[in-house]
Amino acid sequence: MRIAATLREMGIAPVAVYSEADREALHVLGVPEALPIGPADPRSSYLDADAIIAAARRAGAEAIHPGYGFLAENAAFAAAVEAAGLTFIGPSPEQVRALGDKRAARALAVKAGVPVVPGAEGKDAAALIKAAKTMGFPVMVKAALGGGGKGMRVVSAAEGLAEAIESAARLAGSAFGDPSVYLEKRLERARHVEVQVLGDGQGAAIHLFERECSLQRRHQKVIEESPAPGLSEALRERLTFAAVAIAAVARYRGAGTVEFLLGPDGAFYFLEMNTRLQVEHPVTELTTGLDLVRLQLEVAATGRLPLAQDQVTHAGHAIEARLYAEDAARGFLPQAGTITRARWPRRPFVRVDAGVESGSGVPVHYDPILAKIVAHGADRAEALGRLTAALDDTVLQGVVSNLPFLRALARSREVAQGRYDTEWIEREFLGGFAALAQAPAPELALAAAALAEMAPGAPAADAEAGAAVQPSAFQTVGRWRLPGLG
Amino acid sequence: MRSTWRDGDRVREVELTPLAEGRYRVAVDGAEFELSAEPLGEGRFRLTRDGVATLVEVGAAGERRFVRLGALDFVLARERAGSGRSRDGAAGGGLEAPMPGVVTRVMVAPGDAVVKGQPLLAIEAMKMEHVIRAPWPGRVKAVLTKPGEMVNGGVPLVELEAGAASPA
């Protein structure tokens, strides 16, 4: 839907693809033309390159936008699209492959003169263990082809390392098809700052400033913003310069994100590069006034950068919260079911990118993101105030979500002051939040629930029907990770 | 009207007595107060207590009630007499699915003696495996599911009788 919105503004007819289960999904009903590509199981639909390419041919499409998920960082898919004579909106298959291998990406950063997190690669566990002892603990064990925090293990002493390497390799083998792992020194109290870049594929690249994404749980982002709070202008220049250098050395084509870890001492290290549009791209769009999907399309169509670095400016501050179907007070357990009521904030300077509405099913098998709520303001305090109010306005019932967690985060003193690192939520925030969330509900809430049981046609009567319409998880595929032209 | 609610780990009792013209006497766990309620449709009410009005919005999903009170959200679950879903675990002895998912493994069979913390079965949802362990030592009375079965959150999976050791 996000992508179709821009296509329609540009006078290009979007064609969405959908699985059997998504016949009534928002991304399908929201565009004039949509084609079925197979059954609910993503392996035979959203992950089936042939089915997607065949649909593009049937529709007479010229290009395929891979969205954020499923095949967005799949080199074989990018290659198949190009082999079919279609344009892939994104980097070349070689770039997807090279940057997807975290070891090759680290080598590229070194070549660009950018520091990488001290680490070690090696064929066998013994060599890695020896390197770790030299480097010092704690270390992180990561999958070479991993991403999104999956399969990462923190090891604080030599004893647990052999077992962690073996288990990470096994997981990497089954999840990414390659058991290679590598080690990285774990930086304490580091922040996650990333730079949005755009390259022409021939060695020219520009940046669209940075995003701060340190507010994470289980290594996954929950609140992101731009600009990064507390970043000096000098440090911002060095970070963006490093990101552009990496994109230039990679001869990167299209929109990408260079991720860095920023130590408390101001030293920064290359982490990885994402070769797709990021979930958090709206904060960059709101502060630069640029439509990232449009920029992707323009680069794909012309092979040139549509604007020069000095034409990119940023204004104000934008902050995004990710609404997930998960129980933050109970270990972030994923939740599923049917959304009985969803109402999004309607207020000035707030943007909502939602994948669900009242009546939508929330599936069991995928990343349980429901919506992104993004606020813009003249400065950080104004943006955060608007986000807080927007979260208060949001109504989501039927499935437990992280909405109370987001509201508490947005109100916390550390977030207001911009003082946190990637582990702050789990180290300092979560305990207090969980205690608060488990406090008894106010008497008025109980009175309201009891009152609703008495009202005619109220929940008591509807309860059975509500249970009956809850779709089987197997029949519902995520609406968020839109592949294809949607 | 009396109703019983599960609020996190607590069980709470509400008694609602209609007075006149949308006024009620409410007792929550024995604490009494008066309330006036103006129904606004679709589970919405304006509640006034001690002169302070609050907008509430109640939505149902199965036995769960999602209650929005001002800008705060609470999730309560209706407990019904004889449903065997008492939270007072030792009484029913039922262990419930903590989330909707697919049962991947069942590690016990009826009649098995288990020790506290022993894995009973595993549920997978969103690529995460969640192992359900025995909360107390005892004997498996019944296994109510099988591998491959899709279950909803709150569904009983295993009935566990307390053994010699106290379930507390």
Side-chain angles (χ1 to χ4, degrees), chain A residues 218 334 341 343 363-364 366 392 394 397 407 438 441 446 453 470, chain B residues 7 10 12 16 42 57-58 65-66 68 71 73 78 126 128 152:
Chain A
R218 291 190 169 171
R341 177 150 38 204
R343 217 165 50 233
V364 171
Y366 301 96
D392 283 353
T394 302
Q397 297 187 330
R407 288 176 183 149
Q438 279 155 18
L446 283 137
E453 301 292 280
Q470 184 159 320
Chain B
D7 170 20
R10 294 172 194 81
R12 306 188 62 184
L16 216 55
E42 299 180 341
E57 212 162 336
V58 183
R65 299 293 175 272
F66 288 76
R68 175 175 164 88
D73 286 293
R78 182 83 197 259
M126 287 146 184
M128 266 176 49
N152 280 318

PDB file of all heavy atoms in Angstrom, chain A residues 218 334 341 343 363-364 366 392 394 397 407 438 441 446 453 470, chain B residues 7 10 12 16 42 57-58 65-66 68 71 73 78 126 128 152:
ATOM      1  N   ARG A 218      14.823  -7.335  22.431  1.00  0.00           N
ATOM      2  CA  ARG A 218      15.279  -8.532  21.740  1.00  0.00           C
ATOM      3  C   ARG A 218      15.959  -8.197  20.423  1.00  0.00           C
ATOM      4  O   ARG A 218      15.689  -8.804  19.398  1.00  0.00           O
ATOM      5  CB  ARG A 218      14.103  -9.457  21.444  1.00  0.00           C
ATOM      6  CG  ARG A 218      13.526 -10.065  22.674  1.00  0.00           C
ATOM      7  CD  ARG A 218      12.539 -11.132  22.292  1.00  0.00           C
ATOM      8  NE  ARG A 218      12.162 -11.890  23.454  1.00  0.00           N
ATOM      9  CZ  ARG A 218      11.202 -12.777  23.470  1.00  0.00           C
ATOM     10  NH1 ARG A 218      10.523 -13.025  22.389  1.00  0.00           N
ATOM     11  NH2 ARG A 218      10.933 -13.435  24.550  1.00  0.00           N
ATOM     12  N   PRO A 334       4.310 -13.258  21.349  1.00  0.00           N
ATOM     13  CA  PRO A 334       3.516 -12.852  20.195  1.00  0.00           C
ATOM     14  C   PRO A 334       2.047 -13.229  20.385  1.00  0.00           C
ATOM     15  O   PRO A 334       1.739 -14.253  20.999  1.00  0.00           O
ATOM     16  CB  PRO A 334       4.114 -13.640  19.034  1.00  0.00           C
ATOM     17  CG  PRO A 334       5.234 -14.420  19.559  1.00  0.00           C
ATOM     18  CD  PRO A 334       5.311 -14.271  21.034  1.00  0.00           C
ATOM     19  N   ARG A 341     -11.546  -4.034  17.115  1.00  0.00           N
ATOM     20  CA  ARG A 341     -11.724  -2.590  16.943  1.00  0.00           C
ATOM     21  C   ARG A 341     -10.355  -1.951  16.768  1.00  0.00           C
ATOM     22  O   ARG A 341      -9.470  -2.169  17.593  1.00  0.00           O
ATOM     23  CB  ARG A 341     -12.436  -2.016  18.173  1.00  0.00           C
ATOM     24  CG  ARG A 341     -12.593  -0.530  18.129  1.00  0.00           C
ATOM     25  CD  ARG A 341     -13.807   0.019  18.856  1.00  0.00           C
ATOM     26  NE  ARG A 341     -14.159  -0.635  20.105  1.00  0.00           N
ATOM     27  CZ  ARG A 341     -15.398  -0.607  20.619  1.00  0.00           C
ATOM     28  NH1 ARG A 341     -16.348   0.056  20.017  1.00  0.00           N
ATOM     29  NH2 ARG A 341     -15.659  -1.210  21.745  1.00  0.00           N
ATOM     30  N   ARG A 343      -8.810   1.947  15.784  1.00  0.00           N
ATOM     31  CA  ARG A 343      -9.070   3.349  15.430  1.00  0.00           C
ATOM     32  C   ARG A 343      -7.739   4.072  15.496  1.00  0.00           C
ATOM     33  O   ARG A 343      -7.054   4.047  16.521  1.00  0.00           O
ATOM     34  CB  ARG A 343     -10.089   3.947  16.394  1.00  0.00           C
ATOM     35  CG  ARG A 343     -11.042   4.907  15.708  1.00  0.00           C
ATOM     36  CD  ARG A 343     -12.274   5.224  16.537  1.00  0.00           C
ATOM     37  NE  ARG A 343     -11.952   5.616  17.882  1.00  0.00           N
ATOM     38  CZ  ARG A 343     -12.471   5.060  18.967  1.00  0.00           C
ATOM     39  NH1 ARG A 343     -13.347   4.086  18.853  1.00  0.00           N
ATOM     40  NH2 ARG A 343     -12.123   5.483  20.153  1.00  0.00           N
ATOM     41  N   PRO A 363      -2.061 -12.977  11.965  1.00  0.00           N
ATOM     42  CA  PRO A 363      -1.610 -14.359  11.802  1.00  0.00           C
ATOM     43  C   PRO A 363      -0.579 -14.767  12.833  1.00  0.00           C
ATOM     44  O   PRO A 363       0.019 -13.939  13.502  1.00  0.00           O
ATOM     45  CB  PRO A 363      -0.984 -14.351  10.418  1.00  0.00           C
ATOM     46  CG  PRO A 363      -0.474 -12.959  10.257  1.00  0.00           C
ATOM     47  CD  PRO A 363      -1.436 -12.073  10.994  1.00  0.00           C
ATOM     48  N   VAL A 364      -0.357 -16.043  12.948  1.00  0.00           N
ATOM     49  CA  VAL A 364       0.571 -16.584  13.936  1.00  0.00           C
ATOM     50  C   VAL A 364       2.013 -16.617  13.439  1.00  0.00           C
ATOM     51  O   VAL A 364       2.935 -16.455  14.215  1.00  0.00           O
ATOM     52  CB  VAL A 364       0.119 -18.015  14.319  1.00  0.00           C
ATOM     53  CG1 VAL A 364       1.171 -18.705  15.167  1.00  0.00           C
ATOM     54  CG2 VAL A 364      -1.186 -17.965  15.073  1.00  0.00           C
ATOM     55  N   TYR A 366       4.092 -14.865  11.304  1.00  0.00           N
ATOM     56  CA  TYR A 366       4.980 -13.824  10.805  1.00  0.00           C
ATOM     57  C   TYR A 366       5.232 -12.753  11.831  1.00  0.00           C
ATOM     58  O   TYR A 366       4.611 -12.718  12.880  1.00  0.00           O
ATOM     59  CB  TYR A 366       4.398 -13.229   9.516  1.00  0.00           C
ATOM     60  CG  TYR A 366       4.236 -14.316   8.512  1.00  0.00           C
ATOM     61  CD1 TYR A 366       3.026 -14.951   8.341  1.00  0.00           C
ATOM     62  CD2 TYR A 366       5.349 -14.784   7.827  1.00  0.00           C
ATOM     63  CE1 TYR A 366       2.903 -16.016   7.473  1.00  0.00           C
ATOM     64  CE2 TYR A 366       5.237 -15.845   6.961  1.00  0.00           C
ATOM     65  CZ  TYR A 366       4.011 -16.465   6.790  1.00  0.00           C
ATOM     66  OH  TYR A 366       3.906 -17.517   5.953  1.00  0.00           O
ATOM     67  N   ASP A 392      -1.950   7.745  22.668  1.00  0.00           N
ATOM     68  CA  ASP A 392      -3.119   7.780  23.547  1.00  0.00           C
ATOM     69  C   ASP A 392      -4.413   7.690  22.749  1.00  0.00           C
ATOM     70  O   ASP A 392      -5.382   7.077  23.187  1.00  0.00           O
ATOM     71  CB  ASP A 392      -3.125   9.063  24.385  1.00  0.00           C
ATOM     72  CG  ASP A 392      -2.139   8.997  25.545  1.00  0.00           C
ATOM     73  OD1 ASP A 392      -1.560   7.917  25.774  1.00  0.00           O
ATOM     74  OD2 ASP A 392      -1.939  10.034  26.214  1.00  0.00           O
ATOM     75  N   THR A 394      -4.837   6.136  19.963  1.00  0.00           N
ATOM     76  CA  THR A 394      -4.967   4.872  19.243  1.00  0.00           C
ATOM     77  C   THR A 394      -5.815   3.872  20.017  1.00  0.00           C
ATOM     78  O   THR A 394      -5.638   3.699  21.218  1.00  0.00           O
ATOM     79  CB  THR A 394      -3.572   4.267  18.988  1.00  0.00           C
ATOM     80  OG1 THR A 394      -2.821   5.227  18.258  1.00  0.00           O
ATOM     81  CG2 THR A 394      -3.658   2.972  18.204  1.00  0.00           C
ATOM     82  N   GLN A 397      -8.306  -3.202  19.901  1.00  0.00           N
ATOM     83  CA  GLN A 397      -8.890  -4.222  20.773  1.00  0.00           C
ATOM     84  C   GLN A 397      -9.046  -5.544  20.031  1.00  0.00           C
ATOM     85  O   GLN A 397      -9.096  -5.572  18.814  1.00  0.00           O
ATOM     86  CB  GLN A 397     -10.264  -3.750  21.280  1.00  0.00           C
ATOM     87  CG  GLN A 397     -10.169  -2.488  22.136  1.00  0.00           C
ATOM     88  CD  GLN A 397     -11.493  -2.100  22.772  1.00  0.00           C
ATOM     89  OE1 GLN A 397     -12.552  -2.365  22.226  1.00  0.00           O
ATOM     90  NE2 GLN A 397     -11.438  -1.460  23.932  1.00  0.00           N
ATOM     91  N   ARG A 407       3.272   3.564  25.078  1.00  0.00           N
ATOM     92  CA  ARG A 407       2.846   4.774  25.799  1.00  0.00           C
ATOM     93  C   ARG A 407       3.774   5.044  26.983  1.00  0.00           C
ATOM     94  O   ARG A 407       4.148   6.187  27.250  1.00  0.00           O
ATOM     95  CB  ARG A 407       1.409   4.608  26.305  1.00  0.00           C
ATOM     96  CG  ARG A 407       0.373   4.657  25.204  1.00  0.00           C
ATOM     97  CD  ARG A 407      -0.997   4.377  25.803  1.00  0.00           C
ATOM     98  NE  ARG A 407      -2.025   4.334  24.771  1.00  0.00           N
ATOM     99  CZ  ARG A 407      -3.100   3.580  24.843  1.00  0.00           C
ATOM    100  NH1 ARG A 407      -3.318   2.813  25.897  1.00  0.00           N
ATOM    101  NH2 ARG A 407      -3.984   3.594  23.874  1.00  0.00           N
ATOM    102  N   GLN A 438       1.236  -5.307  35.629  1.00  0.00           N
ATOM    103  CA  GLN A 438       0.598  -6.382  36.375  1.00  0.00           C
ATOM    104  C   GLN A 438      -0.127  -5.884  37.628  1.00  0.00           C
ATOM    105  O   GLN A 438      -0.673  -6.686  38.379  1.00  0.00           O
ATOM    106  CB  GLN A 438       1.628  -7.466  36.693  1.00  0.00           C
ATOM    107  CG  GLN A 438       1.813  -8.364  35.464  1.00  0.00           C
ATOM    108  CD  GLN A 438       3.136  -9.061  35.393  1.00  0.00           C
ATOM    109  OE1 GLN A 438       3.825  -9.176  36.386  1.00  0.00           O
ATOM    110  NE2 GLN A 438       3.493  -9.533  34.200  1.00  0.00           N
ATOM    111  N   ALA A 441      -6.190  -3.968  37.830  1.00  0.00           N
ATOM    112  CA  ALA A 441      -6.930  -3.012  37.006  1.00  0.00           C
ATOM    113  C   ALA A 441      -7.791  -2.160  37.931  1.00  0.00           C
ATOM    114  O   ALA A 441      -8.257  -2.639  38.961  1.00  0.00           O
ATOM    115  CB  ALA A 441      -7.793  -3.764  36.000  1.00  0.00           C
ATOM    116  N   LEU A 446     -13.209  -2.752  35.816  1.00  0.00           N
ATOM    117  CA  LEU A 446     -13.999  -3.957  36.093  1.00  0.00           C
ATOM    118  C   LEU A 446     -15.491  -3.653  36.012  1.00  0.00           C
ATOM    119  O   LEU A 446     -16.268  -4.441  35.474  1.00  0.00           O
ATOM    120  CB  LEU A 446     -13.620  -4.522  37.464  1.00  0.00           C
ATOM    121  CG  LEU A 446     -12.285  -5.258  37.377  1.00  0.00           C
ATOM    122  CD1 LEU A 446     -11.397  -4.949  38.546  1.00  0.00           C
ATOM    123  CD2 LEU A 446     -12.506  -6.744  37.213  1.00  0.00           C
ATOM    124  N   GLU A 453     -21.500  -6.514  29.870  1.00  0.00           N
ATOM    125  CA  GLU A 453     -22.139  -7.836  29.812  1.00  0.00           C
ATOM    126  C   GLU A 453     -23.659  -7.712  29.912  1.00  0.00           C
ATOM    127  O   GLU A 453     -24.383  -8.562  29.438  1.00  0.00           O
ATOM    128  CB  GLU A 453     -21.667  -8.733  30.967  1.00  0.00           C
ATOM    129  CG  GLU A 453     -20.186  -8.994  31.022  1.00  0.00           C
ATOM    130  CD  GLU A 453     -19.662  -9.843  29.883  1.00  0.00           C
ATOM    131  OE1 GLU A 453     -19.805 -11.063  29.938  1.00  0.00           O
ATOM    132  OE2 GLU A 453     -19.114  -9.261  28.929  1.00  0.00           O
ATOM    133  N   GLN A 470     -12.809 -16.039  14.194  1.00  0.00           N
ATOM    134  CA  GLN A 470     -11.350 -15.979  14.287  1.00  0.00           C
ATOM    135  C   GLN A 470     -10.744 -16.943  13.260  1.00  0.00           C
ATOM    136  O   GLN A 470     -11.006 -18.132  13.287  1.00  0.00           O
ATOM    137  CB  GLN A 470     -10.929 -16.394  15.690  1.00  0.00           C
ATOM    138  CG  GLN A 470      -9.454 -16.268  15.901  1.00  0.00           C
ATOM    139  CD  GLN A 470      -9.124 -16.192  17.364  1.00  0.00           C
ATOM    140  OE1 GLN A 470      -9.806 -15.555  18.143  1.00  0.00           O
ATOM    141  NE2 GLN A 470      -8.064 -16.846  17.750  1.00  0.00           N
TER     142      GLN A 470
ATOM    143  N   ASP B   7      -7.859 -10.983  36.170  1.00  0.00           N
ATOM    144  CA  ASP B   7      -7.123  -9.740  35.911  1.00  0.00           C
ATOM    145  C   ASP B   7      -5.652 -10.077  36.151  1.00  0.00           C
ATOM    146  O   ASP B   7      -5.188 -10.059  37.286  1.00  0.00           O
ATOM    147  CB  ASP B   7      -7.634  -8.675  36.892  1.00  0.00           C
ATOM    148  CG  ASP B   7      -6.787  -7.412  36.882  1.00  0.00           C
ATOM    149  OD1 ASP B   7      -6.062  -7.182  35.899  1.00  0.00           O
ATOM    150  OD2 ASP B   7      -6.876  -6.649  37.873  1.00  0.00           O
ATOM    151  N   ARG B  10      -4.796 -12.325  39.133  1.00  0.00           N
ATOM    152  CA  ARG B  10      -5.826 -12.227  40.162  1.00  0.00           C
ATOM    153  C   ARG B  10      -7.187 -12.661  39.656  1.00  0.00           C
ATOM    154  O   ARG B  10      -7.463 -12.567  38.472  1.00  0.00           O
ATOM    155  CB  ARG B  10      -5.964 -10.764  40.607  1.00  0.00           C
ATOM    156  CG  ARG B  10      -4.748 -10.228  41.305  1.00  0.00           C
ATOM    157  CD  ARG B  10      -4.907  -8.718  41.519  1.00  0.00           C
ATOM    158  NE  ARG B  10      -3.612  -8.199  41.886  1.00  0.00           N
ATOM    159  CZ  ARG B  10      -2.658  -7.930  41.005  1.00  0.00           C
ATOM    160  NH1 ARG B  10      -2.886  -8.069  39.716  1.00  0.00           N
ATOM    161  NH2 ARG B  10      -1.484  -7.499  41.395  1.00  0.00           N
ATOM    162  N   ARG B  12     -11.091 -11.549  40.265  1.00  0.00           N
ATOM    163  CA  ARG B  12     -11.805 -10.437  40.890  1.00  0.00           C
ATOM    164  C   ARG B  12     -13.309 -10.578  40.698  1.00  0.00           C
ATOM    165  O   ARG B  12     -13.774 -11.066  39.676  1.00  0.00           O
ATOM    166  CB  ARG B  12     -11.271  -9.120  40.321  1.00  0.00           C
ATOM    167  CG  ARG B  12      -9.741  -9.092  40.486  1.00  0.00           C
ATOM    168  CD  ARG B  12      -9.124  -7.792  40.137  1.00  0.00           C
ATOM    169  NE  ARG B  12      -9.602  -6.717  40.988  1.00  0.00           N
ATOM    170  CZ  ARG B  12      -9.233  -5.450  40.786  1.00  0.00           C
ATOM    171  NH1 ARG B  12      -8.420  -5.141  39.795  1.00  0.00           N
ATOM    172  NH2 ARG B  12      -9.706  -4.512  41.581  1.00  0.00           N
ATOM    173  N   LEU B  16     -23.006  -5.920  40.334  1.00  0.00           N
ATOM    174  CA  LEU B  16     -23.604  -4.721  39.776  1.00  0.00           C
ATOM    175  C   LEU B  16     -25.090  -4.745  40.128  1.00  0.00           C
ATOM    176  O   LEU B  16     -25.791  -5.690  39.767  1.00  0.00           O
ATOM    177  CB  LEU B  16     -23.426  -4.799  38.258  1.00  0.00           C
ATOM    178  CG  LEU B  16     -23.164  -3.555  37.448  1.00  0.00           C
ATOM    179  CD1 LEU B  16     -21.954  -2.809  37.978  1.00  0.00           C
ATOM    180  CD2 LEU B  16     -22.905  -3.962  36.002  1.00  0.00           C
ATOM    181  N   GLU B  42     -22.053   0.350  20.767  1.00  0.00           N
ATOM    182  CA  GLU B  42     -20.840  -0.393  20.410  1.00  0.00           C
ATOM    183  C   GLU B  42     -19.866  -0.583  21.572  1.00  0.00           C
ATOM    184  O   GLU B  42     -18.662  -0.450  21.409  1.00  0.00           O
ATOM    185  CB  GLU B  42     -20.122   0.279  19.240  1.00  0.00           C
ATOM    186  CG  GLU B  42     -20.993   0.338  17.991  1.00  0.00           C
ATOM    187  CD  GLU B  42     -20.290   0.997  16.822  1.00  0.00           C
ATOM    188  OE1 GLU B  42     -19.294   1.721  17.044  1.00  0.00           O
ATOM    189  OE2 GLU B  42     -20.748   0.776  15.693  1.00  0.00           O
ATOM    190  N   GLU B  57     -14.559   2.044  26.698  1.00  0.00           N
ATOM    191  CA  GLU B  57     -14.873   1.329  25.470  1.00  0.00           C
ATOM    192  C   GLU B  57     -14.542  -0.140  25.724  1.00  0.00           C
ATOM    193  O   GLU B  57     -13.401  -0.464  26.034  1.00  0.00           O
ATOM    194  CB  GLU B  57     -13.960   1.904  24.377  1.00  0.00           C
ATOM    195  CG  GLU B  57     -14.565   1.912  23.032  1.00  0.00           C
ATOM    196  CD  GLU B  57     -13.833   2.858  22.091  1.00  0.00           C
ATOM    197  OE1 GLU B  57     -13.166   3.814  22.552  1.00  0.00           O
ATOM    198  OE2 GLU B  57     -13.922   2.619  20.898  1.00  0.00           O
ATOM    199  N   VAL B  58     -15.547  -0.991  25.639  1.00  0.00           N
ATOM    200  CA  VAL B  58     -15.325  -2.410  25.940  1.00  0.00           C
ATOM    201  C   VAL B  58     -15.515  -3.230  24.666  1.00  0.00           C
ATOM    202  O   VAL B  58     -16.522  -3.099  23.976  1.00  0.00           O
ATOM    203  CB  VAL B  58     -16.315  -2.905  27.026  1.00  0.00           C
ATOM    204  CG1 VAL B  58     -16.028  -4.364  27.373  1.00  0.00           C
ATOM    205  CG2 VAL B  58     -16.232  -2.033  28.275  1.00  0.00           C
ATOM    206  N   ARG B  65     -12.074  -9.469  27.563  1.00  0.00           N
ATOM    207  CA  ARG B  65     -12.677  -8.159  27.377  1.00  0.00           C
ATOM    208  C   ARG B  65     -11.559  -7.129  27.350  1.00  0.00           C
ATOM    209  O   ARG B  65     -10.753  -7.058  28.293  1.00  0.00           O
ATOM    210  CB  ARG B  65     -13.635  -7.816  28.526  1.00  0.00           C
ATOM    211  CG  ARG B  65     -14.795  -8.770  28.671  1.00  0.00           C
ATOM    212  CD  ARG B  65     -15.771  -8.703  27.487  1.00  0.00           C
ATOM    213  NE  ARG B  65     -16.797  -9.715  27.631  1.00  0.00           N
ATOM    214  CZ  ARG B  65     -16.682 -10.972  27.183  1.00  0.00           C
ATOM    215  NH1 ARG B  65     -15.592 -11.346  26.537  1.00  0.00           N
ATOM    216  NH2 ARG B  65     -17.651 -11.838  27.359  1.00  0.00           N
ATOM    217  N   PHE B  66     -11.538  -6.355  26.288  1.00  0.00           N
ATOM    218  CA  PHE B  66     -10.558  -5.280  26.159  1.00  0.00           C
ATOM    219  C   PHE B  66     -11.240  -4.013  26.638  1.00  0.00           C
ATOM    220  O   PHE B  66     -12.248  -3.599  26.063  1.00  0.00           O
ATOM    221  CB  PHE B  66     -10.109  -5.141  24.697  1.00  0.00           C
ATOM    222  CG  PHE B  66      -9.229  -6.282  24.263  1.00  0.00           C
ATOM    223  CD1 PHE B  66      -9.778  -7.523  23.988  1.00  0.00           C
ATOM    224  CD2 PHE B  66      -7.861  -6.120  24.168  1.00  0.00           C
ATOM    225  CE1 PHE B  66      -8.969  -8.589  23.615  1.00  0.00           C
ATOM    226  CE2 PHE B  66      -7.045  -7.176  23.798  1.00  0.00           C
ATOM    227  CZ  PHE B  66      -7.596  -8.414  23.523  1.00  0.00           C
ATOM    228  N   ARG B  68     -10.945  -0.060  27.421  1.00  0.00           N
ATOM    229  CA  ARG B  68     -10.196   1.182  27.287  1.00  0.00           C
ATOM    230  C   ARG B  68     -10.843   2.188  28.216  1.00  0.00           C
ATOM    231  O   ARG B  68     -12.041   2.462  28.150  1.00  0.00           O
ATOM    232  CB  ARG B  68     -10.262   1.674  25.845  1.00  0.00           C
ATOM    233  CG  ARG B  68      -9.619   3.027  25.612  1.00  0.00           C
ATOM    234  CD  ARG B  68      -9.644   3.331  24.115  1.00  0.00           C
ATOM    235  NE  ARG B  68      -9.403   4.745  23.831  1.00  0.00           N
ATOM    236  CZ  ARG B  68      -8.190   5.260  23.664  1.00  0.00           C
ATOM    237  NH1 ARG B  68      -7.129   4.500  23.760  1.00  0.00           N
ATOM    238  NH2 ARG B  68      -8.045   6.547  23.391  1.00  0.00           N
ATOM    239  N   ALA B  71      -7.272   6.880  28.324  1.00  0.00           N
ATOM    240  CA  ALA B  71      -6.223   6.430  27.410  1.00  0.00           C
ATOM    241  C   ALA B  71      -5.432   5.280  28.021  1.00  0.00           C
ATOM    242  O   ALA B  71      -4.250   5.126  27.761  1.00  0.00           O
ATOM    243  CB  ALA B  71      -5.307   7.595  27.046  1.00  0.00           C
ATOM    244  N   ASP B  73      -5.429   0.994  28.769  1.00  0.00           N
ATOM    245  CA  ASP B  73      -6.046  -0.244  28.319  1.00  0.00           C
ATOM    246  C   ASP B  73      -5.854  -1.367  29.315  1.00  0.00           C
ATOM    247  O   ASP B  73      -4.761  -1.520  29.872  1.00  0.00           O
ATOM    248  CB  ASP B  73      -5.444  -0.668  26.980  1.00  0.00           C
ATOM    249  CG  ASP B  73      -5.957   0.195  25.863  1.00  0.00           C
ATOM    250  OD1 ASP B  73      -7.161   0.097  25.574  1.00  0.00           O
ATOM    251  OD2 ASP B  73      -5.182   0.997  25.297  1.00  0.00           O
ATOM    252  N   ARG B  78     -13.359 -13.150  31.324  1.00  0.00           N
ATOM    253  CA  ARG B  78     -14.553 -13.590  32.055  1.00  0.00           C
ATOM    254  C   ARG B  78     -14.330 -15.009  32.544  1.00  0.00           C
ATOM    255  O   ARG B  78     -13.921 -15.865  31.765  1.00  0.00           O
ATOM    256  CB  ARG B  78     -15.760 -13.537  31.101  1.00  0.00           C
ATOM    257  CG  ARG B  78     -17.070 -13.921  31.727  1.00  0.00           C
ATOM    258  CD  ARG B  78     -17.677 -12.754  32.456  1.00  0.00           C
ATOM    259  NE  ARG B  78     -18.720 -13.200  33.372  1.00  0.00           N
ATOM    260  CZ  ARG B  78     -20.026 -13.119  33.121  1.00  0.00           C
ATOM    261  NH1 ARG B  78     -20.449 -12.589  31.993  1.00  0.00           N
ATOM    262  NH2 ARG B  78     -20.900 -13.536  34.004  1.00  0.00           N
ATOM    263  N   MET B 126       5.061 -17.574  15.527  1.00  0.00           N
ATOM    264  CA  MET B 126       5.928 -16.544  14.969  1.00  0.00           C
ATOM    265  C   MET B 126       7.395 -16.935  15.093  1.00  0.00           C
ATOM    266  O   MET B 126       8.232 -16.153  15.529  1.00  0.00           O
ATOM    267  CB  MET B 126       5.665 -15.204  15.641  1.00  0.00           C
ATOM    268  CG  MET B 126       4.349 -14.623  15.182  1.00  0.00           C
ATOM    269  SD  MET B 126       3.571 -13.712  16.488  1.00  0.00           S
ATOM    270  CE  MET B 126       2.037 -13.248  15.719  1.00  0.00           C
ATOM    271  N   MET B 128       8.924 -18.627  17.181  1.00  0.00           N
ATOM    272  CA  MET B 128       9.486 -18.725  18.521  1.00  0.00           C
ATOM    273  C   MET B 128       8.896 -19.965  19.166  1.00  0.00           C
ATOM    274  O   MET B 128       7.695 -20.198  19.080  1.00  0.00           O
ATOM    275  CB  MET B 128       9.049 -17.529  19.360  1.00  0.00           C
ATOM    276  CG  MET B 128      10.031 -16.389  19.355  1.00  0.00           C
ATOM    277  SD  MET B 128       9.328 -15.025  20.269  1.00  0.00           S
ATOM    278  CE  MET B 128       8.778 -15.836  21.764  1.00  0.00           C
ATOM    279  N   ASN B 152      -5.613 -21.990  20.356  1.00  0.00           N
ATOM    280  CA  ASN B 152      -5.763 -20.577  20.707  1.00  0.00           C
ATOM    281  C   ASN B 152      -5.216 -20.331  22.103  1.00  0.00           C
ATOM    282  O   ASN B 152      -5.129 -21.264  22.910  1.00  0.00           O
ATOM    283  CB  ASN B 152      -7.229 -20.174  20.646  1.00  0.00           C
ATOM    284  CG  ASN B 152      -7.669 -19.920  19.218  1.00  0.00           C
ATOM    285  OD1 ASN B 152      -6.938 -19.305  18.442  1.00  0.00           O
ATOM    286  ND2 ASN B 152      -8.834 -20.416  18.875  1.00  0.00           N
TER     287      ASN B 152
END
